[in-house]
């Protein structure tokens, strides 16, 4: 890398990075426009810029995570409950009192029940024999919560899921507890698909740059892989003098830098000259 290929700098051990295919394709195009075998240098430059200009990194990470959650969120599923008129009115009144929706309250009720189901068999069976369920109420719940409710109810008979939902709801109405806290912490939560980064590439990193990335990650509550993806996104959004920076990254010393940069300029000129 150094003796057999003069002009290259030793850059350390390889680190496996993962990107989504679109970001990897854009990075490939940017690196190819600079010259051959520039991908690793491009990523290192992006990371150097990040650790030397860490302004707003925490904010950008929070925004990226929020957008990722929105993209990966699984749609809620609708369920129809039959309630007595008095129970339906009380349910609606609690939602109005806390300036929320009945679906948000239902998600809290289901979450609390699944956390501590307790002895639910007999209350659930009593619900199946209840009369006067003339009010239909539609609520939106998380798919995984519905699956868990149906699985618990299925241990004791078929088609008991809605009865068990009524048990959970009645517990909430009887013991509201800290609804305001749960509305902030539980109601907004959505089932999320796992993050998929199918494009994999190895990039060599020296210990100093790696340590600076790890130090920044510790300060902002992140990790090296997440910071590298943020660095790549930032350089795609604002490449600046990226070609000059990448070439300085791959050329080893001041002694060899000038002729190598001149050779690179000649190569780029030939690439940009249209054929006759």
């Amino acid at each position: 890398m150094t003796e057999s290929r003069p002009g290259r700098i030793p850059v350390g051990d390889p680190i496996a990075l993962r990107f989504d295919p679109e970001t990897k394709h854009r990075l490939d195009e940017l690196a190819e426009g600079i010259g051959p075998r520039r991908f690793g240098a491009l990523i290192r430059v992006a990371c150097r810029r990040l650790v030397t200009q860490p302004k707003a990194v925490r904010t950008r990470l929070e925004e990226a995570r929020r957008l990722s959650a929105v993209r990966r969120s699984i749609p809620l599923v609708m369920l129809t409950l039959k309630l007595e008129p008095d129970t339906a009115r009380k349910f609606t009144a609690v939602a109005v009192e806390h300036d929320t929706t009945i679906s948000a309250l239902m998600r809290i009720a289901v979450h609390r029940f699944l956390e501590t189901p307790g002895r639910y068999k007999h209350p659930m069976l009593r619900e199946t024999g209840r009369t006067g369920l003339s009010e239909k109420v539609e609520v939106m719940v998380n798919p995984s919560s519905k699956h868990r409710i149906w699985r618990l109810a299925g241990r004791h008979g078929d088609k008991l899921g809605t009865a068990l939902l009524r048990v959970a709801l009645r517990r909430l109405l009887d013991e509201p507890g800290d609804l305001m806290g749960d509305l902030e912490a539980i109601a907004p939560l959505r089932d999320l698909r796992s993050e998929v980064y199918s494009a994999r590439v190895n990039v060599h990193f020296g210990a100093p740059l790696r340590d600076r990335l790890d130090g920044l990650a510790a300060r902002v509550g992140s990790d090296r892989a997440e910071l590298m993806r943020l660095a790549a996104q930032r350089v795609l959004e604002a490449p600046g003098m990226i070609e000059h920076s990448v070439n300085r990254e791959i050329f080893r010393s001041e002694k060899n830098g000038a002729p190598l940069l001149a050779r690179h300029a000649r190569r780029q000129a030939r690439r940009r000259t249209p054929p006759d």
Side-chain angles (χ1 to χ4, degrees):
M1 188 170 185
T2 55
E3 297 299 329
S4 61
R5 299 173 66 180
R8 303 283 180 178
I9 59 170
V11 288
D13 299 325
I15 295 176
L17 302 182
R18 290 189 178 274
F19 299 96
D20 62 273
E22 181 183 353
T23 299
K24 175 61 165 54
H25 177 68
R26 292 175 63 195
L27 290 169
D28 283 333
E29 286 186 331
L30 184 58
E32 185 178 348
I34 299 171
R37 297 187 302 276
R38 297 299 198 269
F39 188 92
L42 173 63
I43 297 299
R44 290 193 298 275
V45 166
C47 291
R48 289 189 196 284
R49 289 183 176 182
L50 187 73
V51 297
T52 55
Q53 302 172 3
K55 183 179 179 180
V57 166
R58 194 187 303 272
T59 302
R60 286 293 303 270
L61 285 173
E62 291 174 355
E63 179 66 11
R65 291 166 183 167
R66 186 188 68 79
L67 291 175
S68 174
V70 170
R71 289 192 298 267
R72 295 182 293 119
S73 63
I74 297 175
L76 298 173
V77 294
M78 180 179 290
L79 298 175
T80 301
L81 293 180
K82 289 184 178 181
L83 303 173
E84 310 95 323
D86 287 347
T87 303
R89 281 194 293 271
K90 185 177 180 181
F91 191 21
T92 303
V94 173
V96 172
E97 179 185 351
H98 291 82
D99 192 24
T100 187
T101 65
I102 58 174
S103 289
L105 291 180
M106 194 69 226
R107 289 195 290 275
I108 292 172
V110 171
H111 175 83
R112 290 183 180 180
F113 176 83
L114 291 173
E115 287 292 301
T116 54
R119 299 173 67 88
Y120 64 87
K121 177 182 176 181
H122 295 298
M124 179 181 65
L125 294 178
R126 284 198 300 270
E127 285 293 333
T128 62
R130 192 182 291 272
T131 59
L133 304 175
S134 58
E135 294 287 327
K136 287 186 177 181
V137 175
E138 293 181 336
V139 292
M140 305 289 289
V141 300
N142 294 322
S144 65
S145 297
K146 175 192 172 183
H147 174 74
R148 292 174 64 188
I149 287 287
W150 258 243
R151 182 167 54 83
L152 285 176
R155 296 176 181 176
H156 307 286
D158 296 332
K159 300 181 180 180
L160 298 179
T162 53
L164 189 53
L165 286 174
R166 288 199 296 272
V167 171
L169 174 59
R170 294 187 197 283
R171 287 187 183 181
L172 178 77
L173 295 177
D174 291 341
E175 300 180 15
D178 183 16
L179 272 182
M180 294 303 297
D182 284 350
L183 282 169
E184 294 181 0
I186 297 171
L189 295 182
R190 303 284 290 274
D191 289 350
L192 298 180
R193 301 175 178 89
S194 59
E195 200 85 65
V196 177
Y197 298 111
S198 56
R200 184 180 184 277
V201 62
N202 289 333
V203 176
H204 288 76
F205 276 81
L209 179 56
R210 202 168 58 239
D211 292 344
R212 294 183 70 184
L213 276 170
D214 290 342
L216 178 59
R219 292 197 302 274
V220 299
S222 181
D223 56 42
R224 187 191 301 163
E226 187 178 37
L227 284 185
M228 288 180 178
R229 284 191 288 270
L230 175 60
Q233 191 62 42
R234 280 178 53 166
V235 85
L236 287 172
E237 294 172 356
M241 299 289 290
I242 192 63
E243 183 172 327
H244 181 69
S245 299
V246 168
N247 287 326
R248 284 183 61 86
E249 175 70 24
I250 67 172
F251 299 145
R252 181 172 56 185
S253 67
E254 294 294 330
K255 177 180 178 181
N256 292 330
L260 288 170
L261 283 169
R263 185 178 68 184
H264 172 73
R266 292 192 298 271
R267 182 187 296 122
Q268 289 294 83
R270 288 195 299 270
R271 292 176 61 190
R272 292 167 182 164
T273 301
D276 296 333

